[in-house]
Amino acid sequence: MQQHSIDAIKAHPRYQELICTRKCFAWNLTVLMLVIYYGFILIIAFAPKLLATPLSAGAVTTVGMPIGVAIIVSAFVLTGIYVARANSKFDALTKAIREDLQ
Amino acid sequence: MKRFATWGVLFALLIPFALVAGPAVSGAVEQQALNLTAIYMFVAFVAGTLGITYWAAKRTRTAKDFYTAGGGITGFQNGLAIAGDYMSAASFLGISGLVFASGYDGLIYSIGFLVGWPIIMFLIAEQIRNLGKFTFADVSSYRFGQTEIRTMAAISSLVVVAFYLIAQMVGAGKLIQLLFGLDYWIAVVIVGVLMMVYVIFGGMTATTWVQIIKAVLLLSGATFMAIAALSTFGFSPEEMFRQAIATHPKADAIMGPGTLVKDPINAISLGLALMFGTAGLPHILMRFFTVPDAKEARKSVFYATGFIGYFYILTFIIGFAAIVLLTQHPEWFKEGAIVNGALVDVKGLNGGTNMVAIRLAEAVGGNLFLGFISAVAFATILAVVSGLTLAGASAISHDLYASVIARGRSNETTEIRVSKIATFCLGLVAIALGIAFESQNVAFMVGLAFAIAASANFPVLVASIFWGKMTTRGALIGGFAGLISAVALTVMSKAVWGDVLGNVGADGKPVGLIFLDNPAIISIPFSFFCIWLFSVLDNSERAKTDRAAFDAQKIRCETGIGAEGASDH
């Protein structure tokens, strides 16, 4: 890539917007996933009894079951949220930058 | 094409030979009676995939075809193929066995394997697609000294592939011996030869379609098994859990965290290795170059996460249902493992807990379904080793040969030829190591592969994408620091120092030099620290070039501008 086009893209307001929003969004989702997973691991390490509590009196299904399944589902949902946003907002910004350069 | 036909004939000759040789000899693992249904179904799978390889061979002309299936795989197909790469026989049989033996711990383990995927999506999937061409080393060496970084990346890739491959080959041999009643070495040779045929003739196109077919077969088989098992409990998980508690020797302890997680440090270390190791596995990262653009790359991760998560929920149901349903068949257990209809020894299942899913298939679907699931398990191993071998061969031909040895002066034809020779050699090595390690304890190897991927590949990859001040020297030292520390700490762990090398403590039990089971909590930060330290101290001319190239890399990385050229070579 030529230096002048690098400078042109770097100065492009849409590029600034793309970098900024994508960075915030991606890192927020990353932190959220890390908090969910390591929160779960810390509960297992420090308060395993919590997950072994029955859902209701007399039931055998424990709190840990829906929580475990919810973490699996959350991983899928978070990737889905990212795809939805990237397909609309980020792709539109990228397209705008490309068109301006031509 | 002629060579392909020869291979086909060779293999056709191998099957009846294997059929005859099977029951005559008995190996270390107790061998099953020859399972003909399973063998016929497996032969059908092999015939189908060889047909695909023939079709793929005709379409594989350029380096791009060979390494990335021409970049023409859709996001959905790639999602299935990634799931196929990830849902190894180890996770299908291993995790359902773990659930059978310990209950909830199996779920904890599978969650660790899944949560790396969102991280891959948010941080590296699109970036990798935009920057790379054939291997992940394209990305980590993008703005750095090609010789140094590609050599480092190729070495760590080959080490990861080697450990992963040995674990798969040994697992394959033992499993096939159990399932099909074939000899250990025959099983290893069949897997090795078929894998060479797929990769050498069909390249990434054949490898991808083998993965896709296997993923569909595995997902549908597991779905049927979970539904059929649940139906015996009136589709009530509560009822399934109730009966499982009544049957299992650990009673209601199977409903919460057990002994898998010993202490917070080991728990977090394993979690780090699983999470970031996924983002550094060469055969997984390579899959991102098979799609045309960043949009399809992110779609593939979305579908893959969905399929893998669904699959882990199925294995959890399979493991729990098996506690109840297998116990109704005392003939599958060793003497004394079942007393008065209750399971007293979880390890009493003939063939070990790896057989849980296989036996459940027989319990809910009879001999035909047993044959189907056995064939799928075989196909699974075959697909995973093919992907691994292709990744290893690409590291040799694309990174070591074309960029380091020939310094970019080789042509495509030579590079593909080197890749095929490398595949052949890797296949022979895999067969040899698979046979050599037959009676070794290889359980630590998959963990080690993940730890090295997380400690050597992942830090360099992430820093090269996000940190503009990294230099060639920093990346080189950081990558090797992660690789060496991960291997050294694993050697000092109980699994190797005690179980493999036979060092025992005062009580006569195997011991390790350190209390960590997985090195990730030390080796990942150590790698990042070395990257940082040796980059900021680096004032060489090379460092100036490295840093100056970051802006252009970042633009291509974020927008994909300039990436089309690279993907259309």
Side-chain angles (χ1 to χ4, degrees):
Chain A
M1 211 180 301
Q2 302 294 319
Q3 191 56 44
H4 63 84
S5 53
I6 293 174
D7 293 336
I9 297 174
K10 267 177 85 179
H12 199 290
R14 291 272 176 280
Y15 180 70
Q16 304 285 351
E17 193 186 343
L18 173 71
I19 297 294
C20 192
T21 49
R22 197 215 297 263
K23 197 178 184 179
C24 291
F25 190 60
W27 283 102
N28 283 341
L29 286 177
T30 305
V31 170
L32 185 57
M33 190 71 244
L34 291 174
V35 167
I36 292 175
Y37 177 59
Y38 287 101
F40 178 63
I41 292 290
L42 290 175
I43 292 176
I44 293 166
F46 291 108
K49 292 273 177 295
L50 201 68
L51 294 171
T53 320
L55 277 175
S56 59
V60 295
T61 308
T62 51
V63 179
M65 297 295 171
I67 289 183
V69 174
I71 295 174
I72 292 180
V73 173
S74 75
F76 180 60
V77 170
L78 289 180
T79 56
I81 292 172
Y82 181 84
V83 172
R85 172 116 164 161
N87 281 354
S88 50
K89 173 117 188 176
F90 302 154
D91 281 356
L93 284 171
T94 312
K95 194 160 164 261
I97 300 167
R98 280 164 185 259
E99 278 166 4
D100 279 3
L101 285 175
Q102 276 160 10
Chain B
M1 227 22 34
K2 259 188 188 158
R3 273 195 299 171
F4 179 71
T6 320
W7 278 104
V9 171
L10 270 178
F11 183 72
L13 290 172
L14 206 78
I15 291 269
F17 166 64
L19 289 176
V20 179
V25 204
S26 62
V29 177
E30 50 215 286
Q31 206 156 319
Q32 297 285 112
L34 203 61
N35 183 341
L36 282 176
T37 325
I39 291 179
Y40 289 141
M41 289 207 192
F42 179 69
V43 170
F45 172 83
V46 169
T49 48
L50 286 177
I52 286 171
T53 309
Y54 180 76
W55 164 80
K58 285 194 289 188
R59 296 166 49 115
T60 303
R61 306 205 184 289
T62 61
K64 192 186 170 197
D65 295 333
F66 184 78
Y67 292 122
T68 67
I73 305 289
T74 68
F76 181 77
Q77 291 165 344
N78 196 36
L80 265 178
I82 289 175
D85 257 323
Y86 213 60
M87 300 181 298
S88 61
S91 48
F92 178 51
L93 306 175
I95 293 179
S96 53
L98 186 58
V99 174
F100 175 83
S102 327
Y104 195 75
D105 277 355
L107 188 62
I108 301 175
Y109 206 64
S110 50
I111 288 173
F113 276 105
L114 182 72
V115 290
W117 285 103
I119 307 294
I120 291 182
M121 168 75 107
F122 307 147
L123 298 183
I124 60 172
E126 294 177 44
Q127 286 82 351
I128 285 179
R129 180 64 200 89
N130 281 340
L131 287 180
K133 200 168 133 193
F134 298 149
T135 64
F136 87 91
D138 291 340
V139 183
S140 43
S141 72
Y142 189 82
R143 66 192 150 98
F144 303 109
Q146 296 295 305
T147 312
E148 298 93 322
I149 305 303
R150 281 193 194 266
T151 309
M152 190 266 295
I155 290 174
S156 68
S157 295
L158 286 170
V159 175
V160 170
V161 166
F163 283 119
Y164 216 123
L165 209 50
I166 294 173
Q168 295 287 335
M169 287 306 254
V170 173
K174 300 228 159 124
L175 184 70
I176 290 160
Q177 195 175 357
L178 270 169
L179 297 182
F180 292 79
L182 299 180
D183 262 358
Y184 177 87
W185 72 270
I186 295 176
V188 170
V189 170
I190 293 179
V191 170
V193 169
L194 279 175
M195 153 193 109
M196 286 192 249
V197 173
Y198 292 147
V199 178
I200 291 175
F201 297 103
M204 185 53 113
T205 311
T207 307
T208 303
W209 282 101
V210 170
Q211 287 295 11
I212 293 176
I213 294 170
K214 164 244 151 152
V216 171
L217 290 176
L218 184 55
L219 284 169
S220 23
T223 304
F224 172 79
M225 207 161 29
I227 291 175
L230 270 179
S231 74
T232 60
F233 303 101
F235 292 102
S236 157
E238 170 79 10
E239 183 56 30
M240 179 179 78
F241 291 141
R242 196 178 292 278
Q243 292 190 27
I245 293 171
T247 314
H248 202 280
K250 292 182 186 159
D252 63 355
I254 56 175
M255 297 302 289
T259 50
L260 176 74
V261 176
K262 287 183 290 192
D263 58 274
I265 305 284
N266 268 312
I268 292 172
S269 196
L270 177 68
L272 287 171
L274 295 181
M275 189 177 229
F276 298 115
T278 307
L281 290 174
H283 65 299
I284 297 278
L285 294 172
M286 198 172 171
R287 293 231 55 92
F288 288 108
F289 306 117
T290 63
V291 292
D293 53 33
K295 191 180 186 126
E296 294 300 316
R298 63 174 94 97
K299 274 201 230 161
S300 11
V301 186
F302 174 64
Y303 289 121
T305 312
F307 289 129
I308 297 167
Y310 171 68
F311 173 74
Y312 284 145
I313 292 175
L314 293 180
T315 52
F316 188 65
I317 297 171
I318 289 169
F320 255 101
I323 296 173
V324 179
L325 299 177
L326 297 196
T327 309
Q328 296 166 359
H329 294 268
E331 72 274 15
W332 291 339
F333 289 83
K334 293 190 178 77
E335 198 97 353
I338 294 176
V339 178
N340 297 330
L343 187 61
V344 290
D345 178 13
V346 289
K347 295 206 170 98
L349 185 65
N350 285 331
T353 50
N354 267 344
M355 288 296 281
V356 166
I358 307 287
R359 283 297 175 213
L360 186 69
E362 190 172 356
V364 300
N367 199 41
L368 192 69
F369 193 59
L370 167 76
F372 176 77
I373 287 294
S374 303
V376 168
F378 199 161
T380 294
I381 295 168
L382 207 45
V384 172
V385 294
S386 303
L388 280 169
T389 307
L390 181 57
S394 314
I396 293 173
S397 60
H398 183 61
D399 297 325
L400 282 184
Y401 173 74
S403 305
V404 176
I405 297 171
R407 298 197 178 267
R409 287 191 301 266
S410 73
N411 61 38
E412 247 186 61
T413 324
T414 328
E415 190 177 324
I416 298 178
R417 192 178 304 138
V418 171
S419 194
K420 292 185 174 182
I421 296 169
T423 306
F424 184 74
C425 297
L426 280 173
L428 291 183
V429 170
I431 292 172
L433 290 178
I435 291 172
F437 279 81
E438 176 180 357
S439 43
Q440 299 292 315
N441 184 342
V442 294
F444 71 93
M445 286 189 181
V446 170
L448 178 58
F450 268 81
I452 297 172
S455 318
N457 297 348
F458 177 74
V460 176
L461 199 56
V462 159
S464 79
I465 293 173
F466 291 101
W467 193 45
K469 294 197 179 76
M470 181 160 85
T471 68
T472 300
R473 191 186 297 165
L476 184 70
I477 297 176
F480 275 121
L483 172 65
I484 293 165
S485 60
V487 175
L489 291 168
T490 302
V491 170
M492 289 191 267
S493 72
K494 180 182 159 290
V496 179
W497 191 255
D499 296 342
V500 177
L501 299 177
N503 291 292
V504 290
D507 57 354
K509 284 187 183 156
V511 286
L513 288 174
I514 47 167
F515 78 106
L516 271 184
D517 290 332
N518 194 295
I521 200 167
I522 296 176
S523 54
I524 298 176
F526 182 58
S527 171
F528 274 116
F529 173 76
C530 292
I531 290 174
W532 171 79
L533 183 70
F534 291 97
S535 294
V536 293
L537 294 179
D538 192 354
N539 290 317
S540 60
E541 279 307 306
R542 178 72 238 183
K544 293 194 185 93
T545 330
D546 294 338
R547 293 186 186 115
F550 184 65
D551 280 346
Q553 177 194 305
K554 190 175 166 80
I555 288 171
R556 173 161 159 182
C557 184
E558 295 284 347
T559 63
I561 293 172
E564 294 91 336
S567 65
D568 271 350
H569 272 207

